[in-house]
Amino acid sequence: MIPFIKKVLTKIANKRIKSSGVLIDDQKNEVGSIVRNLEIELSHGLKETLYMVIGVISAGFGLKGFLLPNNFIDGGVTGMSLLIQNMTGISLSILLIVVNIPFLALAMQTISVKFALKSVVAITLLALVVHFVDYPIVTEDKLLISIFGGFFLGFGIGMAMRGGSVIDGTEVLAIYLSRKLSLTIGDVLLVINILIFSVGAYILSVETALYAILTYLSAAKTIDYVIDGVEEYIGVTIISKQHEDIRLMLTEKMRRACTIYAGKGGYKTGKDEYNKPIIFIIITRLELARFETEIDKIDQDAFIIMNVVKDLKGGMIKRKPLK
Protein backbone atom coordinates (compact mmCIF):
# COMPACT_ATOMS: atom_id res chain seq x y z
CA MET A 1 0.00 0.00 0.00
CA ILE A 2 1.25 3.51 -0.90
CA PRO A 3 2.54 5.27 2.29
CA PHE A 4 0.37 8.37 1.70
CA ILE A 5 -2.80 6.28 1.40
CA LYS A 6 -1.79 4.26 4.47
CA LYS A 7 -1.45 7.50 6.47
CA VAL A 8 -4.91 8.62 5.34
CA LEU A 9 -6.44 5.26 6.29
CA THR A 10 -4.69 5.37 9.69
CA LYS A 11 -6.16 8.83 10.37
CA ILE A 12 -9.61 7.56 9.48
CA ALA A 13 -9.11 4.56 11.77
CA ASN A 14 -7.98 6.80 14.67
CA LYS A 15 -11.06 8.99 14.27
CA ARG A 16 -13.30 5.92 14.36
CA ILE A 17 -11.54 4.64 17.47
CA LYS A 18 -11.88 7.96 19.31
CA SER A 19 -15.58 8.22 18.49
CA SER A 20 -16.24 4.62 19.59
CA GLY A 21 -14.73 5.03 23.07
CA VAL A 22 -12.38 2.02 22.96
CA LEU A 23 -9.97 1.67 25.88
CA ILE A 24 -6.45 3.08 25.34
CA ASP A 25 -4.80 -0.33 25.79
CA ASP A 26 -6.92 -1.80 23.00
CA GLN A 27 -6.63 1.13 20.62
CA LYS A 28 -3.43 -0.01 18.87
CA ASN A 29 -4.90 -3.41 17.94
CA GLU A 30 -8.18 -1.82 16.87
CA VAL A 31 -6.42 0.72 14.65
CA GLY A 32 -4.45 -2.04 12.92
CA SER A 33 -7.62 -4.06 12.34
CA ILE A 34 -9.58 -1.10 10.95
CA VAL A 35 -6.69 -0.03 8.67
CA ARG A 36 -6.43 -3.57 7.31
CA ASN A 37 -10.18 -3.69 6.61
CA LEU A 38 -10.05 -0.29 4.92
CA GLU A 39 -7.12 -1.42 2.75
CA ILE A 40 -9.09 -4.49 1.65
CA GLU A 41 -12.20 -2.43 0.91
CA LEU A 42 -10.15 0.08 -1.07
CA SER A 43 -8.31 -2.55 -3.13
CA HIS A 44 -11.51 -4.46 -3.90
CA GLY A 45 -13.32 -1.21 -4.67
CA LEU A 46 -10.63 -0.19 -7.13
CA LYS A 47 -10.76 -3.62 -8.81
CA GLU A 48 -14.54 -3.47 -9.15
CA THR A 49 -14.33 0.10 -10.50
CA LEU A 50 -11.76 -1.03 -13.08
CA TYR A 51 -14.09 -3.84 -14.19
CA MET A 52 -16.94 -1.33 -14.49
CA VAL A 53 -14.89 1.15 -16.55
CA ILE A 54 -13.63 -1.58 -18.90
CA GLY A 55 -17.21 -2.82 -19.26
CA VAL A 56 -18.53 0.65 -20.13
CA ILE A 57 -15.77 1.26 -22.70
CA SER A 58 -16.36 -2.14 -24.33
CA ALA A 59 -20.17 -1.73 -24.42
CA GLY A 60 -19.77 1.77 -25.86
CA PHE A 61 -17.52 0.40 -28.60
CA GLY A 62 -20.03 -2.33 -29.43
CA LEU A 63 -22.82 0.24 -29.71
CA LYS A 64 -21.08 3.09 -31.59
CA GLY A 65 -18.54 1.06 -33.55
CA PHE A 66 -21.00 -1.56 -34.80
CA LEU A 67 -24.71 -1.37 -33.93
CA LEU A 68 -25.70 2.32 -33.97
CA PRO A 69 -24.22 3.36 -37.35
CA ASN A 70 -26.01 0.45 -39.03
CA ASN A 71 -29.40 0.72 -37.26
CA PHE A 72 -29.02 -2.64 -35.55
CA ILE A 73 -30.69 -3.55 -32.27
CA ASP A 74 -29.93 -5.90 -29.39
CA GLY A 75 -31.92 -7.48 -26.56
CA GLY A 76 -32.60 -6.11 -23.08
CA VAL A 77 -32.74 -2.43 -22.16
CA THR A 78 -30.22 -1.62 -24.90
CA GLY A 79 -32.56 -3.16 -27.48
CA MET A 80 -35.55 -1.27 -26.08
CA SER A 81 -33.60 1.99 -26.18
CA LEU A 82 -32.44 1.38 -29.76
CA LEU A 83 -36.03 0.65 -30.86
CA ILE A 84 -37.34 3.81 -29.20
CA GLN A 85 -34.54 5.81 -30.81
CA ASN A 86 -35.50 4.47 -34.23
CA MET A 87 -39.14 5.44 -33.66
CA THR A 88 -38.67 8.83 -31.98
CA GLY A 89 -35.16 10.07 -32.79
CA ILE A 90 -34.43 10.72 -29.11
CA SER A 91 -30.74 10.48 -28.20
CA LEU A 92 -29.68 6.97 -27.16
CA SER A 93 -27.64 8.33 -24.24
CA ILE A 94 -30.83 9.80 -22.73
CA LEU A 95 -32.86 6.67 -23.40
CA LEU A 96 -30.29 4.38 -21.77
CA ILE A 97 -30.79 6.26 -18.49
CA VAL A 98 -34.57 6.77 -18.72
CA VAL A 99 -35.44 3.18 -19.72
CA ASN A 100 -33.21 1.78 -16.97
CA ILE A 101 -34.82 3.87 -14.18
CA PRO A 102 -37.67 1.39 -13.37
CA PHE A 103 -35.22 -1.51 -13.28
CA LEU A 104 -32.84 0.39 -10.98
CA ALA A 105 -35.73 1.20 -8.64
CA LEU A 106 -36.55 -2.52 -8.59
CA ALA A 107 -32.89 -3.34 -7.90
CA MET A 108 -32.96 -1.00 -4.90
CA GLN A 109 -35.85 -3.00 -3.43
CA THR A 110 -34.90 -6.55 -4.37
CA ILE A 111 -31.08 -6.54 -4.31
CA SER A 112 -29.50 -3.66 -2.38
CA VAL A 113 -29.14 0.11 -2.39
CA LYS A 114 -25.36 -0.17 -2.91
CA PHE A 115 -25.83 -2.39 -5.96
CA ALA A 116 -28.43 0.00 -7.40
CA LEU A 117 -26.17 3.04 -6.86
CA LYS A 118 -23.21 1.30 -8.52
CA SER A 119 -25.48 0.43 -11.44
CA VAL A 120 -26.61 4.07 -11.68
CA VAL A 121 -22.96 5.11 -11.97
CA ALA A 122 -22.24 2.43 -14.60
CA ILE A 123 -25.28 3.30 -16.73
CA THR A 124 -24.56 7.03 -16.49
CA LEU A 125 -20.97 6.43 -17.59
CA LEU A 126 -22.21 4.38 -20.54
CA ALA A 127 -24.62 7.16 -21.53
CA LEU A 128 -21.78 9.72 -21.39
CA VAL A 129 -19.49 7.46 -23.43
CA VAL A 130 -22.18 6.94 -26.08
CA HIS A 131 -22.85 10.68 -26.26
CA PHE A 132 -19.33 12.10 -26.19
CA VAL A 133 -16.84 9.45 -27.36
CA ASP A 134 -16.36 9.05 -31.12
CA TYR A 135 -15.58 5.41 -31.82
CA PRO A 136 -14.48 4.45 -35.33
CA ILE A 137 -17.04 2.63 -37.47
CA VAL A 138 -15.36 -0.73 -37.93
CA THR A 139 -17.38 -2.42 -40.68
CA GLU A 140 -20.60 -2.33 -42.70
CA ASP A 141 -20.81 -6.10 -43.11
CA LYS A 142 -24.06 -7.15 -41.43
CA LEU A 143 -22.78 -10.51 -40.26
CA LEU A 144 -19.66 -8.98 -38.68
CA ILE A 145 -21.77 -6.25 -37.08
CA SER A 146 -24.05 -8.83 -35.48
CA ILE A 147 -21.27 -11.05 -34.17
CA PHE A 148 -18.71 -8.50 -33.02
CA GLY A 149 -21.22 -5.86 -31.94
CA GLY A 150 -22.77 -8.52 -29.71
CA PHE A 151 -19.34 -9.65 -28.55
CA PHE A 152 -18.18 -6.21 -27.35
CA LEU A 153 -21.58 -5.40 -25.85
CA GLY A 154 -21.70 -8.75 -24.04
CA PHE A 155 -18.12 -8.35 -22.81
CA GLY A 156 -19.05 -4.92 -21.42
CA ILE A 157 -22.14 -6.24 -19.63
CA GLY A 158 -20.16 -9.16 -18.21
CA MET A 159 -17.31 -7.00 -16.92
CA ALA A 160 -19.75 -4.56 -15.31
CA MET A 161 -21.43 -7.47 -13.54
CA ARG A 162 -18.07 -8.73 -12.30
CA GLY A 163 -17.67 -5.25 -10.82
CA GLY A 164 -20.94 -5.67 -8.89
CA SER A 165 -23.21 -3.59 -11.15
CA VAL A 166 -25.29 -3.85 -14.31
CA ILE A 167 -25.54 -1.68 -17.42
CA ASP A 168 -28.66 -3.47 -18.63
CA GLY A 169 -31.55 -3.55 -16.15
CA THR A 170 -33.42 -6.54 -17.59
CA GLU A 171 -31.21 -8.86 -15.52
CA VAL A 172 -32.70 -7.27 -12.39
CA LEU A 173 -36.25 -7.82 -13.67
CA ALA A 174 -35.38 -11.41 -14.54
CA ILE A 175 -34.03 -12.05 -11.03
CA TYR A 176 -37.20 -10.56 -9.50
CA LEU A 177 -39.62 -12.53 -11.69
CA SER A 178 -37.72 -15.79 -11.22
CA ARG A 179 -38.40 -15.51 -7.47
CA LYS A 180 -42.10 -14.98 -8.09
CA LEU A 181 -42.58 -17.53 -10.87
CA SER A 182 -41.40 -21.10 -11.40
CA LEU A 183 -38.94 -19.99 -14.09
CA THR A 184 -35.19 -19.68 -14.24
CA ILE A 185 -33.58 -16.28 -14.87
CA GLY A 186 -32.50 -17.51 -18.31
CA ASP A 187 -36.13 -18.35 -19.19
CA VAL A 188 -37.32 -14.88 -18.16
CA LEU A 189 -34.59 -13.16 -20.19
CA LEU A 190 -35.51 -15.28 -23.21
CA VAL A 191 -39.19 -14.27 -23.00
CA ILE A 192 -38.30 -10.56 -22.62
CA ASN A 193 -35.98 -10.65 -25.62
CA ILE A 194 -38.46 -12.55 -27.80
CA LEU A 195 -40.91 -9.70 -27.21
CA ILE A 196 -38.26 -7.09 -28.10
CA PHE A 197 -37.26 -8.90 -31.30
CA SER A 198 -40.92 -9.33 -32.31
CA VAL A 199 -41.47 -5.59 -31.99
CA GLY A 200 -38.23 -5.01 -33.91
CA ALA A 201 -39.44 -7.23 -36.76
CA TYR A 202 -42.70 -5.25 -36.94
CA ILE A 203 -41.17 -1.74 -36.71
CA LEU A 204 -37.94 -2.25 -38.68
CA SER A 205 -37.82 -5.45 -40.70
CA VAL A 206 -37.71 -9.20 -40.27
CA GLU A 207 -34.12 -9.20 -41.56
CA THR A 208 -33.05 -6.65 -38.91
CA ALA A 209 -34.79 -8.69 -36.21
CA LEU A 210 -32.99 -11.86 -37.34
CA TYR A 211 -29.62 -10.09 -37.21
CA ALA A 212 -30.63 -8.76 -33.77
CA ILE A 213 -31.18 -12.33 -32.57
CA LEU A 214 -27.66 -13.17 -33.78
CA THR A 215 -26.33 -10.12 -31.93
CA TYR A 216 -28.15 -11.21 -28.77
CA LEU A 217 -26.78 -14.77 -28.99
CA SER A 218 -23.25 -13.45 -29.47
CA ALA A 219 -23.64 -11.12 -26.48
CA ALA A 220 -25.20 -13.85 -24.32
CA LYS A 221 -22.38 -16.31 -25.06
CA THR A 222 -19.80 -13.64 -24.30
CA ILE A 223 -21.46 -12.88 -20.98
CA ASP A 224 -21.37 -16.62 -20.21
CA TYR A 225 -17.66 -16.62 -20.99
CA VAL A 226 -16.96 -13.60 -18.78
CA ILE A 227 -19.03 -14.48 -15.71
CA ASP A 228 -20.33 -18.02 -16.37
CA GLY A 229 -23.90 -16.77 -16.64
CA VAL A 230 -26.02 -14.43 -14.55
CA GLU A 231 -28.47 -17.20 -13.73
CA GLU A 232 -25.87 -19.41 -12.05
CA TYR A 233 -25.27 -19.74 -8.35
CA ILE A 234 -21.96 -20.41 -6.66
CA GLY A 235 -21.48 -23.14 -4.08
CA VAL A 236 -18.68 -22.04 -1.75
CA THR A 237 -16.78 -24.28 0.68
CA ILE A 238 -14.66 -22.43 3.26
CA ILE A 239 -12.02 -23.87 5.59
CA SER A 240 -10.53 -21.36 8.02
CA LYS A 241 -9.32 -21.04 11.60
CA GLN A 242 -11.57 -17.98 11.81
CA HIS A 243 -14.63 -20.07 10.98
CA GLU A 244 -16.83 -18.54 13.69
CA ASP A 245 -16.13 -14.98 12.51
CA ILE A 246 -16.86 -16.05 8.94
CA ARG A 247 -20.12 -17.72 10.02
CA LEU A 248 -21.24 -14.54 11.78
CA MET A 249 -20.33 -12.44 8.73
CA LEU A 250 -22.33 -14.69 6.40
CA THR A 251 -25.41 -14.84 8.61
CA GLU A 252 -25.44 -11.30 10.01
CA LYS A 253 -23.79 -9.11 7.33
CA MET A 254 -24.76 -10.98 4.15
CA ARG A 255 -27.93 -12.45 5.66
CA ARG A 256 -27.29 -15.87 4.21
CA ALA A 257 -27.89 -19.23 5.84
CA CYS A 258 -24.90 -21.57 5.81
CA THR A 259 -24.17 -25.19 6.65
CA ILE A 260 -21.28 -26.25 8.91
CA TYR A 261 -19.71 -29.68 8.51
CA ALA A 262 -17.59 -31.32 11.18
CA GLY A 263 -14.43 -31.84 9.13
CA LYS A 264 -11.07 -33.37 9.92
CA GLY A 265 -7.73 -32.37 8.41
CA GLY A 266 -5.58 -35.16 7.01
CA TYR A 267 -2.20 -33.43 6.72
CA LYS A 268 -1.41 -32.78 10.38
CA THR A 269 -2.56 -34.70 13.43
CA GLY A 270 -2.39 -31.96 16.08
CA LYS A 271 -5.63 -31.37 17.95
CA ASP A 272 -6.22 -27.90 16.51
CA GLU A 273 -5.29 -28.97 13.00
CA TYR A 274 -7.21 -32.25 13.03
CA ASN A 275 -10.68 -30.88 13.82
CA LYS A 276 -11.72 -28.37 11.16
CA PRO A 277 -15.29 -27.05 10.90
CA ILE A 278 -16.15 -26.61 7.20
CA ILE A 279 -18.60 -23.92 6.10
CA PHE A 280 -20.72 -24.36 2.98
CA ILE A 281 -22.88 -21.61 1.48
CA ILE A 282 -24.71 -20.82 -1.76
CA ILE A 283 -24.42 -17.26 -3.10
CA THR A 284 -25.26 -15.55 -6.37
CA ARG A 285 -22.82 -14.10 -8.90
CA LEU A 286 -23.90 -10.58 -7.94
CA GLU A 287 -22.86 -11.22 -4.33
CA LEU A 288 -19.47 -12.71 -5.20
CA ALA A 289 -17.52 -9.43 -5.19
CA ARG A 290 -18.81 -8.48 -1.73
CA PHE A 291 -18.28 -12.02 -0.42
CA GLU A 292 -14.61 -12.00 -1.42
CA THR A 293 -14.12 -8.58 0.19
CA GLU A 294 -15.64 -9.67 3.50
CA ILE A 295 -13.70 -12.95 3.56
CA ASP A 296 -10.39 -11.12 2.99
CA LYS A 297 -11.18 -8.85 5.95
CA ILE A 298 -11.43 -11.89 8.23
CA ASP A 299 -8.88 -14.34 6.84
CA GLN A 300 -6.91 -13.77 3.65
CA ASP A 301 -5.43 -17.28 3.98
CA ALA A 302 -8.80 -19.03 4.12
CA PHE A 303 -9.02 -22.12 1.88
CA ILE A 304 -11.98 -21.54 -0.45
CA ILE A 305 -13.48 -23.81 -3.09
CA MET A 306 -16.07 -22.40 -5.53
CA ASN A 307 -18.30 -24.50 -7.77
CA VAL A 308 -20.87 -23.36 -10.30
CA VAL A 309 -24.45 -24.38 -9.44
CA LYS A 310 -26.78 -24.12 -12.43
CA ASP A 311 -30.03 -23.87 -10.48
CA LEU A 312 -31.63 -24.55 -7.09
CA LYS A 313 -34.89 -25.99 -5.88
CA GLY A 314 -36.26 -25.34 -2.41
CA GLY A 315 -34.62 -23.33 0.34
CA MET A 316 -34.81 -19.56 0.67
CA ILE A 317 -31.99 -18.19 -1.48
CA LYS A 318 -34.28 -17.12 -4.33
CA ARG A 319 -36.63 -15.30 -1.99
CA LYS A 320 -34.15 -13.60 0.31
CA PRO A 321 -32.94 -10.12 -0.66
CA LEU A 322 -29.33 -9.83 -1.78
CA LYS A 323 -28.20 -7.42 0.97
Side-chain angles (χ1 to χ4, degrees):
M1 181 66 67
I2 299 172
F4 171 74
I5 296 176
K6 187 130 187 171
K7 285 182 181 179
V8 172
L9 296 180
T10 303
K11 286 181 180 179
I12 294 172
N14 283 319
K15 286 181 180 179
R16 289 187 182 181
I17 292 295
K18 289 177 182 178
S19 62
S20 65
V22 176
L23 295 175
I24 295 175
D25 292 341
D26 299 328
Q27 284 186 3
K28 188 174 181 180
N29 291 333
E30 286 291 327
V31 168
S33 177
I34 293 174
V35 168
R36 178 173 171 274
N37 287 346
L38 289 172
E39 286 177 351
I40 291 170
E41 286 186 0
L42 180 61
S43 62
H44 281 261
L46 290 173
K47 181 179 72 173
E48 291 164 15
T49 301
L50 179 62
Y51 284 152
M52 184 193 301
V53 170
I54 292 173
V56 167
I57 293 171
S58 177
F61 182 53
L63 287 169
K64 294 199 72 176
F66 293 91
L67 302 182
L68 278 176
N70 299 282
N71 294 318
F72 271 48
I73 63 172
D74 182 38
V77 168
T78 307
M80 295 180 204
S81 302
L82 289 167
L83 277 175
I84 296 171
Q85 185 203 34
N86 274 280
M87 290 187 293
T88 64
I90 299 173
S91 172
L92 180 64
S93 57
I94 295 173
L95 290 171
L96 285 172
I97 296 174
V98 172
V99 178
N100 268 300
I101 287 174
F103 301 106
L104 294 174
L106 184 63
M108 198 170 291
Q109 294 180 356
T110 59
I111 300 180
S112 72
V113 174
K114 182 181 178 182
F115 173 79
L117 291 175
K118 288 173 71 174
S119 298
V120 167
V121 173
I123 291 165
T124 304
L125 284 175
L126 178 61
L128 291 173
V129 165
V130 169
H131 187 75
F132 291 108
V133 179
D134 290 325
Y135 289 98
I137 299 173
V138 178
T139 180
E140 294 182 357
D141 184 283
K142 291 183 178 181
L143 184 61
L144 293 177
I145 292 165
S146 297
I147 294 173
F148 286 97
F151 169 78
F152 284 108
L153 190 58
F155 183 78
I157 293 171
M159 290 301 288
M161 291 184 67
R162 287 194 66 178
S165 63
V166 293
I167 53 177
D168 190 304
T170 47
E171 282 88 355
V172 176
L173 178 62
I175 291 169
Y176 175 76
L177 291 177
S178 71
R179 294 170 179 168
K180 301 293 182 181
L181 308 171
S182 56
L183 295 170
T184 66
I185 294 175
D187 292 337
V188 178
L189 286 173
L190 180 62
V191 171
I192 293 171
N193 287 304
I194 286 174
L195 292 174
I196 294 170
F197 298 141
S198 299
V199 174
Y202 178 76
I203 294 174
L204 302 174
S205 68
V206 174
E207 183 185 37
T208 301
L210 291 174
Y211 276 118
I213 293 172
L214 186 58
T215 302
Y216 166 70
L217 292 174
S218 175
K221 287 299 180 183
T222 305
I223 293 172
D224 287 342
Y225 180 79
V226 176
I227 61 166
D228 292 328
V230 66
E231 67 269 33
E232 289 175 341
Y233 298 90
I234 308 298
V236 185
T237 302
I238 309 160
I239 302 174
S240 169
K241 293 179 180 179
Q242 309 296 326
H243 55 86
E244 181 60 19
D245 291 335
I246 292 174
R247 183 191 69 80
L248 290 172
M249 178 274 291
L250 295 173
T251 55
E252 294 179 4
K253 273 194 173 183
M254 297 193 69
R255 298 183 63 191
R256 286 291 179 216
C258 62
T259 301
I260 299 178
Y261 299 102
K264 294 182 180 295
Y267 181 64
K268 292 184 179 180
T269 56
K271 184 177 180 181
D272 293 336
E273 294 289 336
Y274 191 60
N275 295 307
K276 292 186 175 182
I278 300 169
I279 300 173
F280 181 77
I281 187 171
I282 298 288
I283 59 175
T284 64
R285 280 283 172 189
L286 297 178
E287 294 174 297
L288 190 56
R290 184 186 175 196
F291 168 80
E292 291 176 342
T293 301
E294 296 297 336
I295 285 289
D296 278 354
K297 288 181 184 178
I298 297 169
D299 184 4
Q300 289 181 303
D301 296 322
F303 183 66
I304 301 173
I305 304 167
M306 297 186 188
N307 297 301
V308 173
V309 179
K310 287 299 293 183
D311 203 0
L312 299 172
K313 186 175 182 180
M316 297 181 65
I317 187 167
K318 286 189 177 183
R319 296 194 294 272
K320 288 178 72 68
L322 306 179
K323 292 184 179 179

